[in-house]
Amino acid sequence: MRLKKSKKLYNKGLKHMVGAVNSPVRAFQSVGGSPLFIKKAKGSHIYDVDGNKYLDLVLSYGPMILGHRHKKVERSIKKALKNGYTFGASTQGEIKLAKLVCDAFPGMDKVRFVNSGTEAVLSAIRLARAYTNKNKIIKFSGCYHGHADALLVAAGSGLATMSLPGSKGVPEDAVKNTLISEFNNIESVLSHINSSNDIAAVIIEPIAGNMGVVQPSEDFIKALRQITKDHDILLIVDEVMTGFRFQFGGAHELLGIQADITCLGKVIGGGFPVGAYGARNEIMETVAPLGAMYQAGTLSGNPIAMASGYSTLKTLKKLNPYKAFNIVANDIAEYLNVIAKKHNVALTVNHYGSMINPFFTTKKVVDFKTAQSSDTEKYKVFFWEMIRQGVFLPPSQFEAWFLSTAITTKDLEVLKNAIDKALKAVSQMETSSAPSAS
Ligand SMILES: *Cc1c(COP(=O)(O)O)cnc(C)c1O
C-alpha cells in the first residue's frame, strides 16, 4: 500500500509542528511507523492524502457519531456561516443547544458552553471547589479528564497511583490536592474519604474510555454515588466521551445514578470545538455572572459550533441509533472472540454500547492495571494489518473503537474480513517472536 504522500507531509510537518501533530496520539508513536495524513472524509469513510480509503472507527475520537459530513449538519453549518462567525454576544443558537442538552440530562438545569472537554472539566473542578469550599478531588487511575494540571495524574499512562504529576511542567503543588483511587474499587475511595474532610469532588468517567473501554460494576458505581452524597462530596461525571454515545443523554443515567456536575464535549459539537458543564441551579448559580466563580471564553458558544452541535443532536435524537449500535457492537465483539479463538490469540473484548476494545490479554479487564496487561506489541501488528485491509483504528491500544450511524452492512463485512486477516497476522507473529507474559 502506498503511504508516500503521508510520509512526505509528515517529514515536512516536523519542521514547524511538534512531532508534526497538534495532539500526541496522532503521531502513531504507540504503533510505530509514520502517521497518516488525512485529506477528506464522507459518511463512514476517511481518505488519506495518498488516496487510500478506510472505514473510520476513530471518528475523531468520538464526535462524528453521524459519520462525516452528514447532510443535515452540513446544511446547518452553511446556513450559520452566512450570518457571521463570532460576535462576542449571545445568540439564539446557544439557547437552543442549551435546552436540548439540559432536557437530555435529568438534574441539569443550566449549562455553560466552553471550547473543549479539557476546559469543561477544569471549569467543573473549579466549580466544585467554589461550591463546597473544599479543595481536594479524587480521580481514578486510568481515567483521562483532559490536560489541566490538576488532572494530569495517573491519567491513562503508565504512572504509579500516587499524587505525582503525569507530565513534566506540572508542579507538585498543582496535584497535591488530587487523590487517586482505583476504578471498580470502592475501598480505595473510602480510604481517602475517611482520612480527609477537605474533599470537594470525585470525578469519574461513567464508562471508562481512556484506558480502553472499562465498565464499572453496578455495586461500585452505586456505592460511589451513595458515599459521595453521605459526605457532601460532589460527584462530577465526565461524559465528554460518553455523552449522547449510548443513549440520548448520559451514560450515568443508564447506570442508575445522578451526577452533581456533568461534563460534556466531543459529540455535542458534532465535529466543532464545543465542551460544556452543567448542573442543578443551586450549583450553577455559583458561576459568574450569577456567582463568584469566574470562567469565560472569547469563542465560547461560537455560533457555527452551536449550529453543528444542535443539528447533530437533533438528527441523533430522530435517528435514535442506540439499539442498532448495541446489536452491531455485540456482533463485532462476538466475531472478535470467535476469530481470536480460531487463530489461537489471547483476547479479551470489552464493549459497551457503541464503544469496543479488544485487549491482547487473557485477563478480565476491570481497571487500569488489568488494561495494562494487554500486549501492545500485538496491537501494533493488528493495527497495521487493519490499515492494510482498509480499516482506520485508533493508533493506541487504550483508545476505543467507535461506531457511527453511517456504517453499512457492507462496511461490517469489510471490517470482519479485516479482523480475520489482522488476528491471523498476530498469531503468526506469536510463533516468530517470544510471547510476552500476560
Ligand atoms: C476527550 C476527553 C476529555 C478531553 O476533551 P478535549 O476536547 O480533548 O479537551 C476529557 N474527558 C474525557 C472523558 C475525554 O474522553
Side-chain angles (χ1 to χ4, degrees):
M1 112 185 274
R2 277 166 60 93
L3 295 171
K4 216 170 118 195
K5 285 186 182 163
S6 270
K7 281 184 184 146
K8 209 167 155 192
L9 281 182
Y10 176 63
N11 286 324
K12 215 170 168 178
L14 287 170
K15 180 151 193 218
H16 294 299
M17 285 162 65
V18 182
V21 294
N22 282 303
S23 197
V25 71
R26 298 178 198 166
F28 280 33
Q29 255 175 2
S30 68
V31 290
S34 88
L36 299 183
F37 273 68
I38 303 303
K39 179 155 187 196
K40 61 178 186 179
K42 178 86 182 127
S44 58
H45 289 91
I46 194 161
Y47 301 78
D48 70 16
V49 287
D50 288 283
N52 299 305
K53 175 183 176 183
Y54 308 93
L55 172 64
D56 184 14
L57 299 188
V58 179
L59 296 168
S60 194
Y61 296 90
M64 307 315 293
I65 193 166
L66 298 176
H68 296 277
R69 299 187 56 200
H70 190 281
K71 250 205 286 214
K72 286 205 171 123
V73 180
E74 191 147 307
R75 205 182 302 139
S76 303
I77 293 166
K78 281 185 174 157
K79 208 171 138 202
L81 271 172
K82 287 192 184 145
N83 289 327
Y85 310 156
T86 177
F87 313 119
S90 292
T91 60
Q92 190 179 7
E94 292 158 84
I95 299 175
K96 283 166 71 180
L97 187 59
K99 176 169 167 40
L100 201 52
V101 169
C102 286
D103 283 353
F105 283 83
M108 189 191 289
D109 296 319
K110 286 186 173 62
V111 65
R112 168 65 60 86
F113 291 116
V114 293
N115 303 291
S116 68
T118 293
E119 210 187 330
V121 173
L122 77 86
S123 307
I125 300 278
R126 187 182 302 146
L127 174 56
R129 286 171 167 159
Y131 178 77
T132 60
N133 287 308
K134 295 188 279 188
N135 293 302
K136 293 190 188 297
I137 54 170
I138 294 178
K139 83 173 278 294
F140 293 92
S141 174
C143 285
Y144 176 70
H145 302 290
H147 66 85
D149 279 0
L151 294 157
L152 276 183
V153 194
S157 66
L159 282 156
T161 55
M162 295 176 284
S163 295
L164 287 177
S167 160
K168 267 200 122 171
V170 176
E172 274 179 41
D173 264 0
V175 297
K176 70 171 188 227
N177 285 317
T178 308
L179 308 171
I180 307 301
S181 291
E182 294 308 310
F183 205 78
N184 272 327
N185 181 339
I186 202 69
E187 292 304 320
S188 71
V189 178
L190 274 171
S191 67
H192 288 312
I193 291 178
N194 289 335
S195 54
S196 171
N197 49 21
D198 193 28
I199 299 171
V202 175
I203 183 164
I204 190 165
E205 291 181 71
I207 304 296
N210 287 290
M211 52 177 142
V213 178
V214 180
Q215 201 178 328
S217 75
E218 193 180 342
D219 287 352
F220 168 73
I221 200 77
K222 294 232 157 113
L224 183 67
R225 176 63 281 189
Q226 194 57 47
I227 289 162
T228 44
K229 199 172 190 174
D230 292 346
H231 291 81
D232 293 321
I233 294 168
L234 296 185
L235 183 61
I236 304 175
V237 182
D238 181 354
E239 297 256 16
V240 170
M241 185 181 286
T242 53
F244 298 99
R245 175 78 14 223
F246 311 124
Q247 68 153 348
F248 196 78
H252 66 267
E253 192 186 3
L254 289 174
L255 298 174
I257 60 160
Q258 198 170 95
D260 293 308
I261 305 176
T262 302
C263 300
L264 291 164
K266 298 192 169 112
V267 169
I268 63 161
F272 281 76
V274 180
Y277 61 100
R280 56 185 182 269
N281 280 325
E282 188 198 2
I283 296 176
M284 288 306 279
E285 280 158 11
T286 313
V287 180
L290 295 183
M293 184 211 107
Y294 190 72
Q295 184 272 309
T298 301
L299 294 177
S300 292
N302 173 272
I304 315 301
M306 292 293 110
S308 168
Y310 182 74
S311 185
T312 296
L313 292 189
K314 265 286 201 210
T315 307
L316 204 48
K317 193 169 185 183
K318 198 163 157 210
L319 290 177
N320 193 10
Y322 300 105
K323 248 195 203 139
F325 277 160
N326 290 348
I327 293 168
V328 171
N330 270 325
D331 182 43
I332 295 171
E334 209 164 284
Y335 187 79
L336 276 163
N337 281 323
V338 167
I339 300 302
K341 212 169 236 170
K342 170 175 136 188
H343 293 301
N344 208 14
V345 173
L347 200 69
T348 295
V349 184
N350 280 10
H351 65 102
Y352 189 92
S354 53
M355 278 161 57
I356 307 164
N357 243 127
F359 296 90
F360 291 94
T361 179
T362 51
K363 290 203 168 121
K364 207 174 159 201
V365 176
V366 294
D367 57 14
F368 188 44
K369 200 170 146 223
T370 42
Q372 286 210 305
S373 71
S374 184
D375 184 339
T376 53
E377 289 302 312
K378 287 181 186 165
Y379 188 78
K380 273 187 202 176
V381 171
F382 183 80
F383 170 85
W384 280 109
E385 189 56 34
M386 292 296 277
I387 288 285
R388 277 187 285 275
Q389 298 299 326
V391 180
F392 185 42
L393 296 179
S396 161
Q397 164 74 82
F398 304 105
E399 301 280 353
W401 307 3
F402 293 103
L403 300 179
S404 77
T405 57
I407 290 180
T408 64
T409 316
K410 198 171 150 236
D411 291 335
L412 290 175
E413 276 169 32
V414 169
L415 175 62
K416 285 182 174 178
N417 185 46
I419 287 171
D420 193 1
K421 297 233 166 73
L423 283 174
K424 186 172 176 200
V426 172
S427 75
Q428 284 166 348
M429 157 207 182
E430 259 182 329
T431 54
S432 60
S433 65
S436 66
S438 62

